[in-house]
């Protein structure tokens, strides 16, 4: 069935970015004539300052301090130099009479004093600021022209977060569900967009096809920063209603840096306990790769040929048995190396990193179905234990070359792979019988993204023209090979308990996606002098094109017993004996009869091919101006998107009927951001922009799927329409000191044709699909504070941070009686809160961090009947992290994650009383990691 559509696979996987990566990595560095290096520190605290802008006056040479506050300028001719240092929130420093000899190095220490309101001082901010610390993040945010938040690598390192998804839970107004799907300002994950090193990315799940990127795919130690933009400009994608997430991997260091780390962890109720695993494992499972042993054998004749089908069944490995194994500790390893050096009169930088981690745990799962008046259904419940093995690894390989201050080339490469092997054993009871289930599943995912780009300052115009370009290629894939499910009915017969097979399913699912694109951006400044850059009009325009293609195929097979007594007797055996190869015979056996037939289950099988081509153009202006002696900055313009999205589906292989969905058209999206810079420490921001939310491929495809985790059906809707939104934002932010912020934001979003998940009760169970609500609103406020408690000697090393988001939403829905009612937007959480209290002593190298997170009761799934909607109840997270540095090079980190433990609960949102829907057990994890930097 994978050959029903014949679209040629892209022959070129953008080898172009890899060519300069390989060539530049092989080149050796060249020593300069002289070197000027040093370290920059804060006058009061003695802390190293990161991202300080440094210029050698009159020589057009620039650099900035690295994550250790150090800088180095090499290949300097002998002579005397003058240096200017500027940093946000600090008085500028000028150093003169710096003598550099023809050989050797000059090493200096520079002390900078924080800005005082009564003191003058020059301030210069560049676009290449380092974003590795909280203070640098806030400094960058203070100078930004739009509304946004971020989390730094330093903050991630002081948390127990192992992936980018866990780290994002700490950002104001953000919530990550299922460890991977991002919700911004309480809106469903589909209303956000994500870029990875500038490359647009989406989910890589076999079935959950949503806009939100799978944030569990990126190990946290590969991250430099995560920036969340909550208002947009025309240069950004229009498919951003709740926010744009910019994930950036490791930065280039200013000098040779090598770091290695290892970690071991204990998972409560799992580590050291016996867990079940598939009795047959692949030789590459530890790498998150199936070795081919789970493949579905090829067919030589049509699937209607019973003999051929049964031959395939006999060729399949008998993978139905499980075995017990003692769960080992949670393990991880990471290593990275980077450097920057002179080469052919320019500067070469490179960074490589690798991360690997695995985990074994057991999680209790429970589901309850209660009869609801007017809806139907039966009394039933189930209890399950899910035995899970996870592996996640990935790496980055980045390189750039700067010819001079006007020309820079770069290549970034990211590869990650994850896999999850689960054995789920459950039992449940309904009004008729007692059932038992077993499901064995393997799912693997991978992501590869490569981008080559360039930045050039062209001098042929009066003030010069800035040109930026980029070309990228990406691919992601997911598969569930040989997923197995068997159900037994348990009855009392003649005083004995009898178990007989009632249902079974064996399925294979594949998803392959490719994306490629390019962009060209031009920027012109009307500044008469570089020092006037911050006060000059700037114009920017750009063109881009991207294409995304996907192939999806799922095949489900059932073993059907014949009516022979022998085959009926086999149903009372364990699964590994029922589905033994010898039980699939081609012809009638006089002794045993004809036993089992291997049959394609058309209802759960299907294939679709989908694509999306997007051509964009934009124009925008940045206009600084003064009104009533107040400094303001207006950034605005318009974006054009010409979109063509299509999906061809064969939902029933027997009928071979093609369902077509196509959404094409051109749209214009205006936006405006106004910033009032009241003074150096206080900003007021206003923003307006229009956005679109297009359906995803899976949401348009009517392929039917059985969800064995939530015990429901899922089907796409080819009739879905795009959703549009008008977005309004206001933010006031005050920066009382370096690394401190107090902020308040208000937002309002007016939605039309909002796309939502919906649940519809059917005689066979719940059906999940996707619908358009006619109109809706989402609005609320955010409060944020990060304050250093240095006003008292006993608390001078403490920092307290808190952010709180309150959200309301309204969607007009229609119930089965055709009556309109108002309910919350599907997926929306009413409130969320994050807090942490950090002790950080730079003299002893000791850091202690207590982190808290909680989210309000949110609508998990909407329904055609208001009472049938399912809600996630609040769940509290409390984490503790202790970090100790030794000799500035070594570090030990002890983390306790989810101290409170407990169960996550889903309930029906009935008007009178809540009824349980499902529960999921959550473990407490303890880990100890050691790292060294050289």
């Amino acid at each position: 069935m994978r050959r029903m559509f014949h679209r040629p696979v892209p022959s070129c996987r953008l080898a172009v970015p890899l060519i300069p990566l390989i060539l530049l990595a092989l080149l050796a560095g060249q020593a300069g004539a002289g070197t000027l290096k040093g370290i920059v520190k804060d006058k009061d605290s003695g802390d190293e300052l990161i991202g300080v802008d440094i210029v050698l006056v009159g020589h057009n040479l620039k650099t900035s301090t690295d994550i250790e506050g150090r800088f180095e300028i090499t290949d300097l001719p002998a002579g005397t130099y003058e240096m200017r240092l500027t940093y946000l929130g600090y008085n500028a420093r000028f150093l003169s009479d710096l003598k550099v000899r023809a050989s050797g190095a000059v090493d200096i220490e520079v002390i900078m004093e924080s800005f005082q309101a009564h003191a003058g001082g020059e301030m210069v901010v560049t676009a290449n600021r380092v974003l590795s610390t909280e203070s640098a993040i806030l400094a960058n945010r203070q100078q930004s022209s739009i509304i946004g938040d971020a989390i730094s690598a330093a903050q991630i390192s002081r948390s127990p977060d192992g992936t980018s998804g866990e780290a994002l839970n700490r950002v104001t107004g953000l919530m990550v569900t299922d460890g991977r799907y991002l919700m911004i300002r309480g809106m469903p994950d589909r209303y956000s967009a994500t870029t990875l090193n500038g490359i647009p990315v989406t989910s890589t799940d076999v079935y959950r096809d949503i806009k939100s990127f799978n944030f569990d795919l990126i190990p946290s130690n590969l991250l430099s920063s995560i920036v969340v933009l909550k208002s947009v400009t025309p240069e950004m994608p229009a498919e951003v209603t709740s926010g744009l997430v910019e994930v950036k991997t490791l930065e280039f260091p200013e000098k040779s840096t090598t770091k290695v780390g290892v970690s071991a962890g204990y998972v409560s109720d799992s580590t050291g306990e016996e867990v079940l695993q598939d009795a047959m494992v692949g030789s590459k499972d530890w790498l998150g790769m199936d070795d081919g042993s789970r493949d579905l054998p090829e067919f030589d004749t049509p699937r209607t040929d019973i003999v051929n089908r049964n031959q395939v069944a006999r060729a399949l490995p008998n993978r139905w048995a499980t075995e017990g194994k003692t769960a080992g500790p949670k393990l991880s390893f990471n290593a990275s190396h980077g450097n920057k050096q002179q080469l052919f009169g320019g500067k070469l930088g490179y960074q490589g990193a690798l991360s690997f981690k695995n985990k074994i745990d057991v999680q209790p799962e429970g589901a309850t179905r209660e009869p609801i008046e007017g809806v139907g259904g039966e009394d039933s419940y189930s209890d399950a234990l899910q035995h899970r093995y996870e592996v996640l690894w990935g790496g980055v390989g980045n390189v750039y070359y700067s010819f001079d201050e006007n020309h820079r080339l770069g290549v970034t490469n990211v590869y990650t792979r994850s896999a999850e092997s689960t054995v789920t054993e459950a039992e449940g009871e309904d009004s008729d019988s007692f059932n038992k289930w077993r499901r064995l599943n393997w799912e693997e995912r991978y992501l590869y993204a490569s981008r080559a780009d360039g930045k050039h300052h062209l001098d042929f115009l009066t003030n010069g023209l800035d040109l930026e370009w980029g070309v990228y290629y990406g691919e992601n894939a997911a598969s569930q090979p040989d997923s197995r499910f068997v159900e037994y009915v348990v009855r009392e017969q003649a005083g004995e308990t009898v178990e007989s097979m009632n249902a079974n399913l064996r399925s294979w699912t594949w998803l392959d996606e490719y994306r490629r694109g390019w962009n060209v951006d031009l920027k012109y400044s009307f500044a008469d002098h570089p020092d006037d850059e911050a006060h000059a009009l700037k114009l920017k325009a750009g063109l881009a094109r991207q294409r995304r293609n996907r192939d999806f195929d799922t095949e489900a097979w059932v073993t059907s017993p014949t009516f022979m007594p022998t085959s009926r007797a086999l149903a009372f055996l364990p699964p590994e004996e029922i589905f033994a190869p010898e039980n699939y015979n081609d012809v009638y056996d006089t002794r045993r009869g004809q036993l089992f037939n291997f049959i394609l289950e058309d209802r759960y099988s299907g294939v679709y091919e989908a694509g999306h081509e997007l051509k964009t153009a934009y124009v925008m202006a940045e206009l600084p101006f003064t009104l009533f002696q107040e400094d303001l900055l207006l950034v605005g313009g318009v974006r054009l998107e010409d979109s063509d999205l299509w999906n061809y589906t064969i939902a029933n292989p027997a009928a071979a009927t093609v369902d077509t969905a196509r959404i094409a058209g051109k749209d214009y999206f205006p936006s405006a951001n106004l910033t009032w810079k009241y003074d150096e420490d206080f900003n007021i921001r206003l923003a307006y922009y229009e956005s679109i939310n297009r359906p995803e491929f899976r949401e348009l495809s009517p392929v039917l799927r059985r969800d064995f985790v939530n015990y429901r059906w899922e089907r796409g809707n080819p009739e879905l329409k795009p959703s549009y939104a008008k977005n309004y934002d206001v933010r006031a932010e005050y920066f009382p000191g370096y690394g401190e912020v107090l902020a308040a934001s208000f937002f309002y979003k007016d939605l039309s044709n909002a796309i939502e998940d919906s649940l519809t009760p059917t005689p066979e169970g719940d059906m999940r699909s996707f619908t358009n609500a006619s109109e809706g609103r989402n609005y609320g406020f955010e409060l944020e504070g990060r304050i250093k408690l240095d006003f008292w000697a006993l608390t001078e090393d403490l920092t307290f941070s808190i952010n709180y988001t309150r959200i309301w939403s309204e969607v007009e829905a229609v119930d089965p009686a055709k009556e309109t009612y108002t309910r919350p937007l599907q997926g929306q959480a009413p409130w969320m809160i994050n807090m942490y209290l950090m002790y950080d002593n730079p003299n002893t190298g000791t850091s202690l961090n207590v982190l808290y997170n909680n989210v309000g009761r949110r609508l998990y799934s909407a329904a055609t009947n208001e009472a049938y909607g399912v809600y996630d109840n609040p769940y509290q997270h409390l984490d503790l992290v202790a970090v100790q540095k030794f000799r500035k090079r070594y570090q030990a980190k002890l983390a306790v994650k989810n101290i409170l433990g407990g169960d996550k609960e889903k309930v029906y949102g009935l008007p009178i009383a809540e009824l349980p829907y499902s529960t999921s057990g959550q473990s407490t994890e303890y880990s100890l990691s050691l790292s060294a930097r050289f």
Side-chain angles (χ1 to χ4, degrees):
M1 197 153 61
R2 303 200 73 188
R3 294 180 292 277
M4 284 189 173
F5 292 116
H6 298 280
R7 183 181 63 82
V9 176
S11 58
C12 175
R13 300 201 170 184
L14 201 68
V16 176
L18 297 179
I19 294 174
L21 174 65
I22 296 171
L23 292 178
L24 289 175
L26 294 176
L27 296 176
Q30 297 179 342
T35 300
L36 181 59
K37 61 180 182 177
I39 188 170
V40 183
K41 296 182 178 181
D42 177 86
K43 178 181 178 181
D44 298 322
S45 66
D47 293 343
E48 295 84 1
L49 298 181
I50 301 167
V52 177
D53 297 311
I54 300 172
V55 177
L56 291 187
V57 180
H59 295 272
N60 215 13
L61 293 174
K62 300 178 182 179
T63 188
S64 60
T65 55
D66 63 13
I67 60 176
E68 295 179 345
R70 296 187 176 275
F71 68 91
E72 186 173 14
I73 304 175
T74 59
D75 201 22
L76 293 175
T80 301
Y81 295 86
E82 180 181 1
M83 179 185 291
R84 180 179 66 190
L85 299 92
T86 54
Y87 197 46
L88 186 65
Y90 284 73
N91 293 322
R93 283 293 311 270
F94 291 88
L95 303 177
S96 59
D97 199 28
L98 297 173
K99 293 183 174 59
V100 176
R101 294 183 175 147
S103 61
V106 177
D107 198 345
I108 62 176
E109 179 178 282
V110 184
I111 303 299
M112 297 190 71
E113 184 177 10
S114 61
F115 179 83
Q116 303 296 325
H118 60 271
E122 181 180 3
M123 184 176 297
V124 176
V125 180
T126 70
N128 296 321
R129 185 170 302 284
V130 177
L131 295 178
S132 299
T133 68
E134 299 100 309
S135 298
I137 285 282
L138 288 177
N140 190 74
R141 167 177 158 180
Q142 187 173 357
Q143 291 299 116
S144 174
S145 60
I146 59 179
I147 297 173
D149 299 294
I151 187 168
S152 68
Q155 187 174 350
I156 294 172
S157 70
R158 289 194 292 265
S159 74
D161 305 327
T163 66
S164 57
E166 294 172 342
L168 277 167
N169 266 321
R170 317 293 180 185
V171 180
T172 305
L174 269 62
M175 178 184 73
V176 177
T177 62
D178 298 330
R180 64 181 69 169
Y181 306 116
L182 178 64
M183 303 179 67
I184 302 176
R185 289 176 163 175
M187 298 193 71
D189 36 36
R190 64 167 306 104
Y191 289 97
S192 64
T194 304
T195 62
L196 175 61
N197 292 335
I199 302 173
V201 290
T202 54
S203 69
T204 53
D205 279 354
V206 170
Y207 290 109
R208 283 213 63 184
D209 190 6
I210 50 182
K211 287 289 191 304
S212 177
F213 173 63
N214 294 158
F215 286 96
D216 63 335
L217 265 177
I218 306 295
S220 60
N221 53 284
L222 298 183
L223 298 173
S224 166
S225 65
I226 306 177
V227 179
V228 182
L229 304 176
K230 297 177 179 177
S231 68
V232 303
T233 59
E235 61 188 324
M236 301 174 191
E239 287 199 80
V240 175
T241 299
S242 60
L244 173 65
V245 183
E246 296 181 337
V247 180
K248 298 180 181 180
T249 54
L250 293 174
E251 299 172 329
F252 302 104
E254 289 293 322
K255 62 178 183 178
S256 178
T257 302
T258 300
K259 185 176 180 180
V260 295
V262 295
S263 174
Y266 172 85
V267 181
S268 66
D269 301 321
S270 300
T271 304
E273 303 293 330
E274 183 178 85
V275 298
L276 295 179
Q277 68 171 16
D278 195 325
M280 296 180 65
V281 298
S283 60
K284 297 181 181 179
D285 284 7
W286 69 280
L287 284 174
M289 302 178 182
D290 177 51
D291 60 2
S293 60
R294 297 179 176 89
D295 287 349
L296 176 64
E298 293 290 336
F299 282 81
D300 297 324
T301 56
R303 286 164 165 74
T304 55
D305 187 324
I306 294 177
V307 173
N308 185 55
R309 293 198 309 252
N310 286 347
Q311 287 176 350
V312 171
R314 290 195 297 272
L316 286 170
N318 189 348
R319 306 180 64 99
W320 292 89
T322 62
E323 64 179 9
K325 178 182 178 181
T326 302
K330 177 182 176 182
L331 299 173
S332 68
F333 166 80
N334 63 83
S336 63
H337 174 72
N339 199 2
K340 183 185 291 186
Q341 46 188 252
Q342 296 296 312
L343 180 67
F344 300 145
K347 187 175 290 186
L348 171 71
Y350 57 88
Q351 177 78 58
L354 180 68
S355 173
F356 177 88
K357 58 183 63 182
N358 63 19
K359 174 184 172 183
I360 302 175
D361 68 350
V362 180
Q363 296 291 353
E365 306 279 345
T368 303
R369 301 291 184 274
E370 299 281 355
I372 300 175
E373 185 176 354
V375 176
E378 297 179 341
D379 274 322
S380 65
Y381 77 88
S382 67
D383 288 312
L385 279 179
Q386 185 178 86
H387 306 254
R388 183 170 54 200
Y389 169 78
E390 300 173 90
V391 60
L392 169 65
W393 65 275
V396 300
N398 304 334
V399 64
Y400 82 91
Y401 183 76
S402 178
F403 297 90
D404 51 40
E405 65 172 352
N406 293 327
H407 300 281
R408 178 189 183 277
L409 299 175
V411 178
T412 61
N413 291 275
V414 180
Y415 180 90
T416 66
R417 176 174 284 273
S418 73
E420 183 177 273
S421 177
T422 57
V423 174
T424 305
E425 294 206 330
E427 57 183 35
E429 184 177 1
D430 57 32
S431 56
D432 296 326
S433 60
F434 184 81
N435 295 352
K436 295 176 67 175
W437 302 274
R438 174 184 292 178
R439 182 170 184 254
L440 298 96
N441 188 64
W442 169 271
E443 180 176 355
E444 62 181 80
R445 300 172 290 152
Y446 84 84
L447 165 75
Y448 170 69
S450 179
R451 177 180 173 88
D453 57 35
K455 298 180 180 180
H456 311 276
H457 182 72
L458 309 176
D459 294 325
F460 59 85
L461 294 177
T462 304
N463 300 307
L465 186 71
D466 290 313
L467 166 67
E468 297 185 7
W469 60 268
V471 57
Y472 67 83
Y473 172 82
E475 64 180 57
N476 51 267
S479 64
Q480 282 185 348
D482 203 3
S483 179
R484 288 138 286 155
F485 171 81
V486 62
E487 178 187 44
Y488 281 81
V489 176
V490 183
R491 295 185 177 90
E492 293 291 332
Q493 292 183 0
E496 295 184 0
T497 301
V498 178
E499 300 181 7
S500 62
M501 184 188 70
N502 181 57
N504 68 89
L505 194 70
R506 198 164 185 174
S507 63
W508 288 259
T509 305
W510 307 269
L511 180 153
D512 298 289
E513 182 172 300
Y514 307 92
R515 65 182 70 230
R516 50 205 174 275
W518 56 264
N519 70 280
V520 177
D521 301 271
L522 293 172
K523 184 176 181 180
Y524 180 75
S525 173
F526 288 85
D528 295 327
H529 187 274
D531 291 341
D532 299 329
E533 191 74 21
H535 307 286
L537 170 66
K538 304 177 188 66
L539 298 179
K540 192 171 183 180
L543 297 172
R545 185 171 183 172
Q546 64 184 50
R547 185 175 179 87
R548 180 177 162 215
N549 291 93
R550 172 179 291 184
D551 292 313
F552 175 90
D553 186 1
T554 182
E555 295 191 23
W557 294 80
V558 296
T559 293
S560 176
T562 66
F563 292 99
M564 299 302 296
T566 307
S567 63
R568 291 200 298 269
L570 290 174
F572 294 89
L573 300 176
E576 58 270 23
E577 297 183 34
I578 293 177
F579 305 109
E582 60 269 18
N583 293 332
Y584 299 88
N585 52 350
D586 301 333
V587 295
Y588 185 82
D589 186 312
T590 56
R591 183 177 61 87
R592 306 178 68 198
Q594 186 175 354
L595 303 180
F596 291 156
N597 287 325
F598 202 46
I599 300 175
L600 179 67
E601 176 56 86
D602 293 330
R603 290 184 303 166
Y604 311 146
S605 301
V607 57
Y608 71 79
E609 178 183 310
H612 185 205
E613 184 166 9
L614 184 65
K615 293 176 282 188
T616 63
Y618 73 89
V619 291
M620 59 180 287
E622 299 180 20
L623 176 62
F625 64 97
T626 301
L627 183 65
F628 303 118
Q629 298 184 338
E630 299 293 339
D631 293 329
L632 296 101
L633 174 63
L634 177 63
V635 179
V638 64
R639 180 181 182 89
L640 166 66
E641 291 200 348
D642 184 358
S643 171
D644 186 5
L645 189 154
W646 49 270
N647 185 303
Y648 302 140
T649 298
I650 298 178
N652 190 328
T657 301
V658 178
D659 293 292
T660 301
R662 188 158 198 167
I663 301 173
K666 296 179 181 179
D667 293 284
Y668 293 89
F669 302 95
S671 65
N673 289 264
L674 179 65
T675 302
W676 174 18
K677 298 180 180 294
Y678 179 78
D679 59 25
E680 296 292 344
D681 302 321
F682 190 77
N683 294 327
I684 295 179
R685 305 182 187 275
L686 305 175
Y688 169 80
Y689 67 96
E690 296 181 11
S691 60
I692 188 173
N693 186 242
R694 301 181 180 95
E696 276 297 289
F697 298 144
R698 179 66 178 94
E699 296 170 342
L700 293 169
S701 174
V703 171
L704 183 66
R705 177 217 174 192
R706 177 63 168 161
D707 181 353
F708 293 104
V709 177
N710 296 296
Y711 307 104
R712 64 187 184 191
W713 306 88
E714 296 183 358
R715 188 194 296 275
N717 176 11
E719 303 300 322
L720 276 181
K721 297 180 291 186
S723 171
Y724 292 86
K726 296 180 179 180
N727 307 274
Y728 306 84
D729 286 87
V730 179
R731 171 177 284 186
E733 52 190 8
Y734 172 57
F735 301 87
Y738 187 64
E740 297 181 311
V741 64
L742 297 172
S745 307
F746 172 79
F747 57 90
Y748 182 90
K749 300 180 183 295
D750 190 1
L751 306 170
S752 61
N753 293 329
I755 301 175
E756 298 186 300
D757 288 10
S758 63
L759 280 181
T760 303
T762 70
E764 295 182 337
D766 298 343
M767 175 68 74
R768 174 179 178 257
S769 189
F770 310 92
T771 58
N772 288 106
S774 59
E775 60 181 72
R777 288 158 295 280
N778 174 270
Y779 56 94
F781 63 84
E782 298 171 327
L783 301 176
E784 177 187 7
R786 186 179 188 272
I787 297 295
K788 296 180 179 179
L789 307 179
D790 53 4
F791 46 81
W792 189 28
L794 294 178
T795 60
E796 62 179 353
D797 295 319
L798 290 177
T799 299
F800 176 70
S801 176
I802 182 172
N803 60 72
Y804 173 77
T805 304
R806 182 70 172 94
I807 310 125
W808 294 268
S809 68
E810 299 172 355
V811 170
E812 292 187 1
V814 180
D815 64 19
K818 306 301 182 181
E819 295 183 0
T820 301
Y821 67 96
T822 300
R823 57 163 171 77
L825 181 69
Q826 182 271 322
Q828 183 251 312
W831 56 265
M832 55 195 69
I833 186 170
N834 290 288
M835 292 188 293
Y836 73 78
L837 180 65
M838 179 180 68
Y839 170 81
D840 189 15
N841 189 324
N843 297 320
T844 63
T846 304
S847 175
L848 297 173
N849 207 359
V850 181
L851 306 99
Y852 175 83
N853 166 266
N854 199 1
V855 177
R857 182 177 182 265
R858 73 181 185 96
L859 181 59
Y860 171 74
S861 291
T864 53
N865 186 301
E866 183 177 10
Y868 201 66
V870 178
Y871 289 80
D872 265 322
N873 274 343
Y875 183 82
Q876 300 184 87
H877 279 272
L878 182 64
D879 306 318
L880 174 65
V881 180
V883 178
Q884 180 62 56
K885 295 181 179 180
F886 306 92
R887 299 181 181 178
K888 294 187 177 181
R889 180 171 293 182
Y890 307 100
Q891 176 178 291
K893 174 179 171 181
L894 176 65
V896 185
K897 181 179 177 181
N898 195 21
I899 296 174
L900 302 178
D903 295 336
K904 288 186 176 180
E905 298 177 337
K906 289 181 173 64
V907 296
Y908 287 109
L910 299 178
I912 301 176
E914 293 181 351
L915 290 176
Y917 180 85
S918 68
T919 60
S920 175
Q922 304 296 306
S923 301
T924 300
E925 298 182 14
Y926 308 82
S927 63
L928 174 64
S929 59
L930 303 173
S931 63
R933 183 190 297 271
F934 305 96

